[in-house]
Structure formats: C-alpha cells, structure tokens
Amino acid sequence: MSITRRDILGFGAGAGLTGIAGAAILLGRDAGDAGGGEQIGMDDVLRDPDNPVLGNPDGALTIVEYFDYQCPYCKMGHPMLTRVAEEDGDIRLVMKDWPIFGAPSVLASQLVFGAASTGSYEPAHTALMATQAKLSEDQIRQVLADAGIDTEKSLDAYRAERDKWDGLLARNSAQAAALGLQGTPAFIIGTTIYPGALDETRLRRAIDQARRA
C-alpha cells in the first residue's frame, strides 16, 4: 500500500504552524513522492542513518518529529515528549530538523549537528529547545555556550561533515514535502502521521495505537 501526497494533503489541511493537531494519517509502505517520481519509503523516514536519535536507540517503537528550533509549539511540547519517551523506555525518538523559520533556524541546526559530531548532540539540542521565543543568531550561540558547547568547534565540526549534514537537511525537507506537511511540529508515531501539536493524552493514545497496530 502507498499513499500519495495529494491524499495526505487532503487530510492534513489546516494543521502546522497554528499548532492545531490535524487528523491522523496512515503512512503506507511508500510514504510519498519526493518529486520526479522518487518514492520515499518508511525506512527512509523512520531510520535515516545520519539522524541523531534520542530515547532508546534500540526501542521497538519510533516517534519522529519534524521540528524547528524557533517553533514555539515544538519547544512547548518537547519536555513532555522526552519525559514520556524516557518513562516508556522502549521508544526511539527521532528529531528531524526542518528549519523553516529562516536563517537563525538554519544556524541552530548546523551548530547542533556540529555538536553531534563531537558527541554533544543531546545537551545542545535540549538547550535550544528549552528557550521560549524566536532566537537571533547571537542568542543561539549564547544559549549553546551557556550549555557548555563550544560553538566555534561545533561550526568547524559541521563544516568538516557538511555533505552529510546538508544531505540530511535536504532529505528531511523532501520528506516533509512528500508527506504534505504544512509546518512544525508534525509527528510520525509508528506508521501514522499526526500533523500539529500533541498533548500528553493524545501522545500516549497514539503510542498505544501504534503498538496495537
């Protein structure tokens, strides 16, 4: 079974930047069309080998979130999301950078990827997700520095593996387009797409449904 971008867009309309959770959409074996007839499969979305993983890397259930470091709804729900994943203990949490809020968002992704190259992905990611407002590039550097991240080393590390990290960003963007996502946040839990923000009740219900499927 496959589901087309048109099918997904029909269900997902109205979700996205508003943070209003839209209808759940079943993700088929082929997730969608990335353009030019290229199909994106479930493994492409759930298990990109270059994407850092939070939670339990060996967890039986994968939760994907397409997010932006300046998205207020992403940041608002992140502590709850990571807490639920930690309490569960069997969830792979894949945060897919989709920097759609401009240059500061791109810099944030680059610096966190650089931190990932030096073994500091989680503290860098957590520090930026803990902020409550849109960020300037100077603020991003300061937040990371306050979290103990050497931003110059992170930027150098990102540049040293630029092809890898830029390739990941390009794949994330292509997937978001193929899935018909309208903005951040957007979640994939198991094989179901949930556009928009999720509260804890709906998140736990989605986890239960994914495990029963």
Side-chain angles (χ1 to χ4, degrees):
M1 172 185 176
S2 63
I3 191 162
T4 68
R5 184 182 181 204
R6 179 177 299 176
D7 292 333
I8 297 173
L9 280 168
F11 282 101
L17 296 178
T18 60
I20 300 172
I25 307 151
L26 183 63
L27 182 66
R29 181 177 299 275
D30 292 324
D33 193 325
E38 179 185 353
Q39 289 291 314
I40 294 175
M42 286 173 54
D43 283 347
D44 298 321
V45 174
L46 303 181
R47 296 187 177 273
D48 190 308
D50 290 337
N51 209 115
V53 177
L54 298 175
N56 179 357
D58 299 316
L61 177 66
T62 297
I63 295 178
V64 168
E65 180 184 352
Y66 289 84
F67 78 101
D68 183 299
Y69 283 112
Q70 294 193 92
C71 166
Y73 296 101
C74 301
K75 294 193 281 190
M76 189 182 307
H78 192 65
M80 179 273 293
L81 175 65
T82 54
R83 174 175 53 79
V84 168
E86 182 178 0
E87 290 173 356
D88 182 282
D90 198 27
I91 291 174
R92 295 176 67 249
L93 182 54
V94 179
M95 303 297 299
K96 284 189 175 280
D97 290 62
W98 187 23
I100 57 177
F101 283 86
S105 297
V106 174
L107 177 65
S109 294
Q110 292 172 344
L111 289 174
V112 175
F113 285 151
S117 292
T118 61
S120 298
Y121 171 74
E122 187 166 359
H125 172 82
T126 299
L128 288 178
M129 292 300 278
T131 62
Q132 296 182 354
K134 293 188 69 174
L135 298 166
S136 69
E137 294 186 4
D138 286 343
Q139 287 172 323
I140 289 166
R141 292 176 185 274
Q142 187 62 56
V143 168
L144 291 175
D146 290 345
I149 305 299
D150 186 322
T151 57
E152 290 307 313
K153 286 185 178 180
S154 291
L155 193 56
D156 287 343
Y158 157 74
R159 287 170 175 159
E161 296 190 285
R162 186 164 198 153
D163 288 347
K164 169 184 173 179
W165 297 124
D166 285 0
L168 176 59
L169 286 174
R171 292 193 296 277
N172 289 351
S173 180
Q175 291 165 13
L179 296 171
L181 303 183
Q182 302 295 297
T184 57
F187 298 86
I188 299 172
I189 302 176
T191 58
T192 304
I193 304 169
Y194 295 86
L198 295 175
D199 61 23
E200 184 169 349
T201 298
R202 191 159 186 247
L203 173 63
R204 290 187 181 277
R205 185 183 305 129
I207 291 169
D208 289 342
Q209 289 173 346
R211 287 190 164 131
R212 289 198 303 269

